[in-house]
Amino acid sequence: MKEVPIDKKLFLLDAYALIYRAYFALNSNAKGTTGFHNSKGFNTSTVYGFTNTLLDLLTKEKPTHIAVVFDAPGITDRAVEHDFYKANRQEMPEDIRSSIPIIKDLIKAFRIPILEVPGYEADDVICTVAKQAEKDGYQVYMVTPDKDFGQAVTDNIFIMKPAYKGGGFEIMDRAAVLKKWEIARVEQVIDILGMMGDAVDNIPGIAGVGEKTASKLLAQFGSMENMYENLDQIQGKLKDKIAEGKEMAFISKKLATILCDAPVEVNEEELVISEPDRDALAALFSELEFRTIGKRVLGETFSVNISTEVKKETIDLFSQPVERETTTVTTVTEVIRPLEAGKNIQNTPHHYELVDTPEKRKALIALLSKQSSFCFDSETTSINAHDCELVGLAFSVKAGEGYYVPVPCEKEEATAILEEFRSLFENESILKIGQNVKYDIMALYWHKIGVKGPLFDTMLAHYLIDPESRHNMDALAENYLGYTPVSIETLIGKKGKEQGTMRDVELEAIKEYAAEDADVTLQLKEKFAPLIKENGFEKLFYEIENPLVYVLADMECEGVRVDKDFLSNYSQELATDIARLKDEIFTCAGTNFNIESPKQLGDVLFSLMKIPYVGKKTKTGQYSTNEEVLSKLCNEHEIAQKLLDYRELVKLKSTYVDALPQLINQRTGRIHSSFNQAVAATGRLSSQNPNLQNIPIRTEKGRRIRKAFVPRDEEHVILSADYSQIELRLVAAISGDKAMKDAFQQGLDIHTATAAKVYGVPLDQVTGEMRRNAKAVNFGIIYGSSAFGLSQNLGIPRREAADLIENYFKEYSGIKAYMQQAVAEAKLKGFAQTLMGRRRYLPDIRSGNMAVRGSAERNAINAPIQGTAADMIKIAMVNIHQAFKAKGFKSKLTLQVHDELVFDVHHTEVEAVKPLVEELMKNALPVDVPILVETGTGNNWLEAH
C-alpha cells in the first residue's frame, strides 16, 4: 500500500443504503414499536439514525473530504434495458419518503456536498469519484453496508460498514473482501454476484447456484467466462443448471457490475470538510426535537425552543431521489414549520419565593390549604426514592409562581418542618398535582409523611395522550409550553444528584430550579386536562392510572424479602453445573475454546466438527450461533443442547442469582423493585432493579429462582394469584366468538377443545401432540402467526400448519371476523383501543410497505387484547389495595408480574384475603366470559405459584 498523506481522506456516503438501514434499525424490534416521534407525530427515526451515523463518522474518523451520494430521480439505464432489475422492491415507506427532504437539509446544513447523476445509481457515482480520487492521492472510504462495493476495493479504497447495533465502523480492505467471499481477486465479486444473483436487486443469477458453489467454481475456473469455456469439466446436475442459465448469468454479471465512468464532475474544494451552518442545524434539531444530538453538535446551551425562522415551502418529492417505480406526484407541505421564540427562566416573568422561616411556612400552608388543588415536587439527594435525603419541597398554585421550602439535613429539625405539612398532604379533599408523583410520595413516605386524596400525574396524562413519546418533564415543557427548564447539570454536574451534592448548591439556585419544576408541572396539567377529556381518557386516567400510583408506591416501599442463603447455595450449585457442562462441551468438540465467543463457537461447530450449518450468516459474515440455530441442531448433535443449557445457567447465575443479593436495601433488608406505568405502549407495567417480568419460568432451573422470594417473617406466607389464560379469554370476549365462549363457559381446557375442533375428533381422543399444536395456534393467531411461522415453531410441514390455521378460522369464525374488523378500524382511526379506551397509535397501518404495514396490523389485532388485560389487572390492584386499607389488613401486595399478583399474607388473614383477592380479580372488568384466577400459598413464591 502506498503512503497516503493524512490530509487526503475522502469519505463517500451511500445515502439510501444508510437511510434504509437507519429506518429498519429503529422502526422494528421485539416490542413492535414504531420508532421515535416528535411531539407533532412526525417519525424522526430515519433522520435520527442517519444523523447519528454521520456524526460518528465526523467525530471518530476525522475525514478531510466528504460527500453524500444519492440515487438520482428517474430510471437508470440498467432498468431501461432490463425491466426486471429491482422490480421486486416494495414501495418506499412513507416515513422514509417524508424524511428525505429533511435529511438533505441536514446534509446541506453540515455544508456537505450532495452528489447525484441522472441515469446512474449512487454506486456508480461513488466508484467513479473513488477511482478518480485515488489517482489524485486520496485514501477513499465508501461508507455503505452494501456488499456489492467489494468489487471496487483497492489498496487505497475501502468499504466502511456501520457496525450492526452500534459499536463503531468496520473497515474492509482488500484482504477482508477476499476472505469474506473466499476469492483470489476483488474483481471476482462481480462473478460471484453474477452466478448467485442478488435478491435485493432482483438479479436472478444461475438457478440453483449459491454463494458457496459460486466461490468453488471461481476457485476452479477464475472467472465466469472461463467457466463457460470449460463447461465439460463440470459434472452432473450442476453442469445442466449452469448451461441452462448462461444467458441470465452474463446479464446478471453485467447488472452487478458497478460503473466507474459516470459523468460526474467534482470540485475538490467543495469536498473539503468545513464548519456547519449552526443556525440551520439549530432550527432543524429544534423542529425534530433532537435534544441530545443538538447538545452534542451545538453545545450544552442548545434548546429545542430556540428563536428562529424557517421558511415554509412545499416540496415536490419528484425533485428528490425517491423510488423510481413511483408514478404519482406526492407533495409534503411544511416539512419544517416556523418555531416560536424559546422561553426559559431568564426571559419569562416569574415569582419564586424562598420559604425559609416558620412564619413563611405557616403562611404558605394557609394559602395551600384554601386551594382545591396544588402542585408539589420534592428535591432529594438521590434518584432512588428508597435511599434519598429530602432537601426541600416546592409548590405552585398559579402559573409563573412558585414556593420553595428548604429542609435541613439535621434530622430533628427536618422532621419538625415536615410535620408542619402533614395535614396538608393528608387532606383528602385537595387534588395533588405532580410529574412522576409516585417518586415524591415515596420520598415523603420514608420521612413518615403520607399523601392522600386525588392525584393528577402529568407524566401519566401524557402517557395516555401520546404513549410512545418521551414523558420526562423537560421534553414535555419544551413540546407543550415552548419552555426550556433549568438543567440540573447546570446546577450540580451530570453525576451530582447521584453523589448527593444537591445540598452543596447555593440555596437561591435550588429555589429557582425546584420552584420552576412545580410551576412548569402545574402549567402542563392545565394543558393535559382538556386533552384527557377530549380523547375520552377520563375514566382510564382518574379511576385507574392515578389511583394505581398509590398502590405502586406502597408496593415498592413495602419491598420483598429474599433468602440470601438460598441464593448463595444456588449460586454454588449453578457454578458446579456450569463447569460440568463446559467440560462436556469441550469433550463433544474435541477441543477447548472460548464458549462465550460466537466466532470461535461457530468455527468449532461448523468448520471443525463439520455440523451442517442451518442458518444465515450474520451481517459480519460469521456463523450465527443464536438460540434459534442451536435449537434446530438439537436433534443432530448433543453439543447443541448442552450449549443451550450452558447459556441458560450462565444467564441465571449472573442476571439473577448473583445479582439479587446486591439489590437488597441496607436500610430495609428487602428488595424494592421499581414498577413503571409509563413505559410499555400496551399499558402493561414494567419493572426494573430487578426486572421481575424477565425471571425465566419455562425451565426447572429458572423456576427455582422464585424460591428465593420469601415472606417477611414467620407470621406471613406468600400468596400468589394468577389470571388463567386471560388473553385467550379476552379474545373470546372481545371477538364474541360463540365457539370459544362456549368452551370457556363449559369449563373446558381451551387447548384441548381447540384441538378437538381443528382436528375433527372427540375431546377424549385429543392426543398430547394435538393439544400442543392447538395451543400454539391459539396463542399464535392473536400475535399474527403465519403458516410459515407456525410450521417453524411446531416443526411440522408448512402445508399442515396452513391447514391448522384454515381449520381454526373455520371453527372460530368470530375470531377471524374480529381480526379483520380490528385492522379496518385501525386504518380508519389510526389507532387501536382497549375496552377501557386505552389507545395504541399505529401510524404505519396505511403504509405501502408490506412488512411495515403487517407489523402495524398485528398490533391492531393484539393491542386491544394485551391492553385490556393490562387495564384489568390494574383495576384489580386498585380495588384490592383499597379493600385492604378499608379492612385494616396486615397483609400487603408486594409484586406484580405479568398476570400475577404476589402478596405477603398474615397467617390470621389467609382465609379472608384469598377469596377477596380472587373475587376482585375476577370482577375487575365485567366481560361475558368466565375469568379464572388460580391462587396458592407457600413459604416462598415457587411453592405458592
Side-chain angles (χ1 to χ4, degrees):
M1 185 182 293
K2 67 181 182 180
E3 292 295 322
V4 178
I6 193 67
D7 61 345
K8 302 279 277 186
K9 291 172 65 176
L10 170 62
F11 288 71
L12 300 170
L13 280 64
D14 184 359
Y16 272 116
L18 297 175
I19 287 169
Y20 268 87
R21 174 183 174 275
Y23 172 79
F24 285 109
L26 295 174
N27 282 277
S28 57
N29 54 50
K31 295 179 180 177
T33 55
T34 53
F36 307 146
H37 295 75
N38 65 6
S39 61
K40 292 167 283 298
F42 179 77
N43 188 326
T44 60
S45 304
T46 306
V47 186
Y48 182 87
F50 179 88
T51 308
N52 255 336
T53 299
L54 178 60
L55 286 177
D56 284 346
L57 190 71
L58 293 172
T59 56
K60 295 176 183 177
E61 304 302 327
K62 309 293 184 187
T64 60
H65 299 70
I66 192 169
V68 179
V69 186
F70 282 84
D71 292 333
I75 300 177
T76 63
D77 294 342
R78 289 182 180 90
V80 170
E81 188 174 354
H82 303 287
D83 58 3
F84 61 83
Y85 179 61
K86 294 190 178 183
N88 63 335
R89 289 197 173 181
Q90 294 187 18
E91 185 179 352
M92 181 185 292
E94 287 83 350
D95 288 331
I96 292 183
R97 186 182 301 281
S98 57
S99 297
I100 290 167
I102 299 175
I103 288 173
K104 284 197 165 186
D105 285 343
L106 274 165
I107 294 168
K108 292 172 184 175
F110 275 106
R111 294 199 169 103
I112 294 172
I114 292 174
L115 306 179
E116 54 187 22
V117 178
Y120 291 82
E121 296 181 20
D123 308 30
D124 304 325
V125 177
I126 289 172
C127 287
T128 300
V129 175
K131 295 292 185 182
Q132 182 59 52
E134 182 183 34
K135 293 178 184 176
D136 295 338
Y138 283 86
Q139 203 170 59
V140 184
Y141 296 86
M142 303 178 293
V143 185
T144 178
D146 192 340
K147 61 184 182 295
D148 299 10
F149 281 90
Q151 63 189 270
V153 170
T154 68
D155 287 341
N156 286 305
I157 300 176
F158 311 94
I159 296 174
M160 177 172 277
K161 295 172 62 177
Y164 182 60
K165 291 187 177 179
F169 296 90
E170 176 192 354
I171 296 177
M172 294 187 70
D173 58 10
R174 188 194 296 270
V177 173
L178 300 181
K179 181 180 179 181
K180 171 182 168 43
W181 293 101
E182 299 178 6
I183 53 180
R185 308 183 314 279
V186 294
E187 295 81 7
Q188 291 175 311
V189 169
I190 310 171
D191 295 273
I192 287 263
L193 293 172
M195 291 184 200
M196 64 178 279
D198 186 346
V200 174
D201 290 339
N202 205 35
I203 297 175
I206 302 171
V209 174
E211 181 180 337
K212 289 294 182 185
T213 302
S215 179
K216 289 177 182 177
L217 290 168
L218 281 178
Q220 182 178 354
F221 298 106
S223 70
M224 184 188 291
E225 288 79 3
N226 194 41
M227 176 186 71
Y228 276 105
E229 288 174 7
N230 296 277
L231 198 57
D232 57 338
Q233 296 182 28
I234 304 172
Q235 302 299 318
K237 292 182 180 180
L238 180 60
K239 177 181 179 180
D240 295 339
K241 290 178 181 178
I242 293 173
E244 291 172 7
K246 181 176 181 179
E247 181 182 1
M248 192 54 71
F250 282 103
I251 291 174
S252 297
K253 180 174 180 177
K254 179 182 178 182
L255 291 173
T257 302
I258 300 177
L259 304 177
C260 296
D261 57 354
V264 54
E265 295 182 7
V266 179
N267 184 329
E268 184 175 352
E269 292 181 4
E270 293 177 356
L271 302 178
V272 175
I273 288 284
S274 55
E275 280 295 311
D277 183 337
R278 297 176 66 85
D279 290 340
L281 284 178
L284 288 163
F285 292 157
S286 181
E287 175 67 14
L288 294 164
E289 296 167 15
F290 285 178
R291 295 169 177 82
T292 303
I293 287 179
K295 291 180 186 298
R296 179 180 174 187
V297 177
L298 303 171
E300 287 295 324
T301 59
F302 170 76
S303 161
V304 301
N305 285 295
I306 59 168
S307 177
T308 186
E309 290 292 331
V310 181
K311 182 181 179 182
K312 290 185 183 179
E313 58 184 0
T314 298
I315 299 174
D316 179 353
L317 288 185
F318 261 137
S319 69
Q320 311 296 331
V322 299
E323 286 282 58
R324 298 179 194 87
E325 293 83 354
T326 302
T327 56
T328 304
V329 176
T330 306
T331 60
V332 175
T333 306
E334 296 184 308
V335 174
I336 303 296
R337 62 169 176 74
L339 300 176
E340 298 176 358
K343 294 183 286 185
N344 55 50
I345 201 165
Q346 281 82 30
N347 62 21
T348 304
H350 64 278
H351 175 71
Y352 298 154
E353 187 174 331
L354 182 64
V355 182
D356 59 350
T357 67
E359 293 76 20
K360 290 181 179 179
R361 289 195 296 271
K362 185 177 181 180
L364 174 61
I365 292 168
L367 171 67
L368 297 174
S369 299
K370 296 175 184 177
Q371 309 299 317
S372 59
S373 66
F374 64 76
C375 182
F376 81 101
D377 180 57
S378 60
E379 286 309 318
T380 64
T381 57
S382 171
I383 59 172
N384 184 346
H386 309 297
D387 277 317
C388 69
E389 264 185 61
L390 197 61
V391 175
L393 294 169
F395 300 89
S396 181
V397 293
K398 184 180 179 182
E401 295 181 4
Y403 305 87
Y404 178 66
V405 182
V407 176
C409 57
E410 202 282 318
K411 188 174 181 180
E412 289 187 8
E413 189 177 350
T415 300
I417 290 175
L418 291 172
E419 192 62 35
E420 296 174 21
F421 288 84
R422 177 183 296 279
S423 61
L424 184 69
F425 284 114
E426 294 183 350
N427 189 324
E428 297 191 40
S429 65
I430 300 177
L431 173 73
K432 281 80 176 179
I433 304 161
Q435 164 75 14
N436 188 18
V437 73
K438 180 180 64 150
Y439 176 90
D440 304 295
I441 291 172
M442 291 191 296
L444 288 169
Y445 170 91
W446 292 113
H447 291 81
K448 307 270 193 289
I449 301 294
V451 178
K452 297 180 181 179
L455 300 173
F456 191 109
D457 191 321
T458 51
M459 179 183 74
L460 296 180
H462 189 255
Y463 170 62
L464 295 182
I465 294 164
D466 190 1
E468 297 199 60
S469 292
R470 288 172 292 182
H471 314 298
N472 66 78
M473 194 193 73
D474 286 0
L476 298 181
E478 289 175 334
N479 294 340
Y480 288 88
L481 306 175
Y483 187 95
T484 301
V486 173
S487 166
I488 193 168
E489 286 79 14
T490 303
L491 291 179
I492 56 178
K494 290 186 177 180
K495 296 184 178 179
K497 197 164 188 177
E498 288 82 350
Q499 295 171 344
T501 57
M502 199 65 177
R503 290 201 181 276
D504 300 329
V505 181
E506 184 183 342
L507 191 58
E508 182 66 23
I510 295 181
K511 178 203 77 175
E512 293 289 290
Y513 172 79
E516 180 191 61
D517 275 1
D519 176 19
V520 166
T521 301
L522 180 71
Q523 294 183 52
L524 288 172
K525 183 263 181 183
E526 298 305 317
K527 289 281 186 181
F528 294 156
L531 294 176
I532 290 291
K533 185 174 182 178
E534 287 171 19
N535 287 284
F537 297 147
E538 289 178 295
K539 189 175 182 67
L540 192 59
F541 182 61
Y542 294 111
E543 297 182 23
I544 301 178
E545 295 293 355
N546 280 309
L548 187 66
V549 170
Y550 283 124
V551 184
L552 297 180
D554 278 2
M555 192 166 77
E556 290 184 34
C557 289
E558 196 64 37
V560 63
R561 184 174 160 230
V562 294
D563 186 339
K564 289 195 291 184
D565 291 338
F566 167 78
L567 289 170
S568 177
N569 293 333
Y570 195 25
S571 178
Q572 294 175 27
E573 179 184 328
L574 289 175
T576 300
D577 290 341
I578 289 167
R580 172 182 55 78
L581 279 169
K582 193 172 187 179
D583 288 340
E584 292 176 1
I585 289 167
F586 290 160
T587 300
C588 288
T591 185
N592 290 6
F593 62 98
N594 182 2
I595 300 176
E596 309 299 336
S597 167
K599 184 179 187 308
Q600 287 189 35
L601 177 58
D603 290 341
V604 167
L605 293 178
F606 308 114
S607 296
L608 179 65
M609 298 180 69
K610 306 297 183 185
I611 297 175
Y613 186 54
V614 293
K616 292 182 179 180
K617 285 193 174 182
T618 67
K619 295 195 175 184
T620 57
Q622 297 179 14
Y623 292 112
S624 173
T625 57
N626 61 21
E627 182 178 352
E628 181 183 358
V629 170
L630 292 179
S631 295
K632 290 178 181 178
L633 297 175
C634 284
N635 294 329
E636 304 297 325
H637 203 292
E638 62 178 333
I639 195 174
Q641 186 59 57
K642 291 183 184 298
L643 285 164
L644 290 172
D645 293 343
Y646 174 86
R647 286 180 179 175
E648 180 201 358
L649 299 192
V650 168
K651 182 176 181 180
L652 287 179
K653 187 176 185 297
S654 62
T655 307
Y656 297 102
V657 179
D658 292 342
L660 284 172
Q662 307 304 314
L663 296 173
I664 296 174
N665 186 290
Q666 297 304 308
R667 178 167 62 174
T668 67
R670 297 178 191 168
I671 288 178
H672 302 270
S673 184
S674 297
F675 290 84
N676 308 309
Q677 281 177 266
V679 172
T682 59
R684 291 269 189 190
L685 294 174
S686 65
S687 64
Q688 62 189 94
N689 300 320
N691 181 352
L692 299 168
Q693 319 292 339
N694 282 353
I695 292 180
I697 58 172
R698 292 185 179 180
T699 64
E700 187 271 335
K701 294 282 188 183
R703 285 191 295 272
R704 281 187 66 194
I705 292 174
R706 291 189 168 200
K707 194 173 181 179
F709 292 80
V710 296
R712 72 194 58 208
D713 54 40
E714 294 180 356
E715 294 185 356
H716 290 76
V717 295
I718 296 289
L719 168 67
S720 165
D722 191 8
Y723 279 118
S724 174
Q725 300 172 331
I726 188 63
E727 289 193 5
L728 285 179
R729 293 173 188 272
L730 289 174
V731 167
I734 292 172
S735 69
D737 183 89
K738 186 178 185 303
M740 186 170 277
K741 286 169 66 175
D742 286 346
F744 281 122
Q745 286 162 354
Q746 293 172 38
L748 300 177
D749 175 82
I750 189 62
H751 304 312
T752 302
T754 298
K757 285 186 175 296
V758 297
Y759 285 104
V761 299
L763 286 169
D764 59 2
Q765 292 182 23
V766 171
T767 66
E769 183 179 358
M770 288 177 179
R771 185 186 182 278
R772 179 176 69 89
N773 291 352
K775 182 177 180 180
V777 178
N778 270 330
F779 286 115
I781 288 296
I782 59 175
Y783 286 96
S785 181
S786 63
F788 174 76
L790 189 62
S791 69
Q792 293 289 101
N793 184 25
L794 294 175
I796 60 176
R798 191 184 302 187
R799 181 65 258 172
E800 183 180 341
D803 289 342
L804 275 175
I805 293 174
E806 183 180 347
N807 290 340
Y808 184 90
F809 283 137
K810 190 181 297 180
E811 297 296 333
Y812 295 128
S813 58
I815 293 177
K816 185 172 186 179
Y818 158 72
M819 294 169 68
Q820 293 171 338
Q821 182 182 357
V823 171
E825 287 188 1
K827 286 182 177 178
L828 182 66
K829 299 176 181 177
F831 59 83
Q833 64 183 29
T834 69
L835 295 181
M836 293 300 298
R838 183 186 304 277
R839 294 181 183 177
R840 178 77 186 271
Y841 291 96
L842 302 166
D844 294 325
I845 195 71
R846 303 184 191 93
S847 173
N849 182 282
M850 186 169 61
V852 173
R853 185 178 67 252
S855 176
E857 289 175 351
R858 289 190 291 274
N859 281 331
I861 294 165
N862 186 248
I865 298 161
Q866 269 205 336
T868 297
D871 294 341
M872 198 166 186
I873 200 165
K874 286 180 176 180
I875 294 169
M877 292 171 73
V878 171
N879 292 341
I880 291 168
H881 183 261
Q882 292 174 351
F884 277 25
K885 293 273 188 185
K887 293 178 181 296
F889 282 157
K890 300 174 186 176
S891 303
K892 303 287 185 182
L893 174 62
T894 57
L895 298 175
Q896 187 274 344
V897 182
H898 300 301
D899 301 317
E900 180 181 8
L901 300 180
V902 181
F903 303 81
D904 267 5
V905 180
H906 196 271
H907 283 304
T908 61
E909 297 173 351
V910 172
E911 296 307 314
V913 166
K914 190 175 175 181
L916 176 66
V917 167
E918 288 182 13
E919 185 68 19
L920 292 176
M921 288 179 71
K922 287 179 181 178
N923 296 313
L925 195 60
V927 292
D928 60 356
V929 171
I931 300 299
L932 180 63
V933 176
E934 297 175 343
T935 59
T937 57
N939 292 318
N940 57 63
W941 188 8
L942 182 62
E943 280 185 18
H945 187 76

